[in-house]
Amino acid sequence: MAEIPAAPFPFTFDPKSMALVVIDMQRDFAEPGGFGASLGNDVSRVQKIVPTVKKLIEGFRAAGLPVIHTMECHRPDLSDLPPAKRDRGNPTIRIGDEGPMGRVLIAGEPGTAILEELAPLPGEIVIEKPGKGAFYATPFGDELKRLGAQQLVFAGVTTEVCVQTTMREANDRGYECLLAEDATESYFPEFKAAALAMIRAQGAIVGWTATTDEVLQGIADA
């Protein structure tokens, strides 16, 4: 067993059971003209973490550990998009509408793609998810079992929505979860801070947090 210095206390792990989960680092959430920007959000906050997420991915690849990518997207016929999700709020464009980068959050469209700098390598698992959590209506759980992964390191966006939702889903299923706090981001800094506090509260009730450098140093020492 090895250790990563984390909050609220060190994260003990077995490298053979570790995997990295990168949540929704997609053009529509990170680039001007995408869905995130259409909601009035400052997407530069997401862009700033791209080098850190890339460093984390490359560290896992170098260590021979699995990297899993998720993408929030829907079928072209919108059959997996409930009205409660499509009709929420007052965006300038809605999921499924034609936007500057193709139909918004529709599988196969340019804006739905993962950022080029973070693109999956051949053979890496890519989970297309219609919800906020990666377990809902996807093969994510089956893929984790196939890998033998029990301890998950998380990165991606947004901290308080898709990242935290997936961590809570994983926690309920018995996985131990560690969030790389500088490799995740929210459009709202106060929401990120609150999510980090909630995750590690009450003795890591949902999981642990640590920096990318701490994670990679722990993997290297193992």
Side-chain angles (χ1 to χ4, degrees), residues 96-110:
D97 290 349
E98 195 69 37
M101 294 184 284
R103 294 182 69 200
V104 174
L105 295 186
I106 297 301
E109 296 288 330

Side-chain angles (χ1 to χ4, degrees), residues 28-45:
D28 257 324
F29 299 133
E31 294 185 4
F35 186 54
S38 80
L39 297 171
N41 296 312
D42 178 8
V43 295
S44 69
R45 296 186 58 82

Side-chain angles (χ1 to χ4, degrees), residues 122-209:
E124 289 182 343
I125 296 167
V126 179
I127 300 295
E128 296 186 353
K129 61 184 185 66
K132 297 173 178 66
F135 286 88
Y136 169 67
T138 77
F140 184 50
D142 292 335
E143 293 287 7
L144 292 177
K145 290 176 183 176
R146 181 179 66 80
L147 292 172
Q150 289 293 323
Q151 295 172 302
L152 308 176
V153 174
F154 284 86
V157 296
T158 60
T159 312
E160 78 279 7
V161 184
C162 295
V163 175
Q164 185 178 201
T165 299
T166 304
M167 290 184 72
R168 289 179 179 273
E169 289 181 331
N171 176 263
D172 281 346
R173 289 163 173 78
Y175 295 93
E176 291 186 319
C177 302
L178 170 64
L179 177 58
E181 57 191 61
D182 53 348
T184 184
E185 195 48 86
S186 169
Y187 299 123
F188 308 96
E190 66 274 23
F191 290 179
K192 176 181 176 179
L196 292 175
M198 285 188 284
I199 285 165
R200 60 192 177 218
Q202 301 181 72
I205 191 168
V206 174
W208 289 254
T209 71

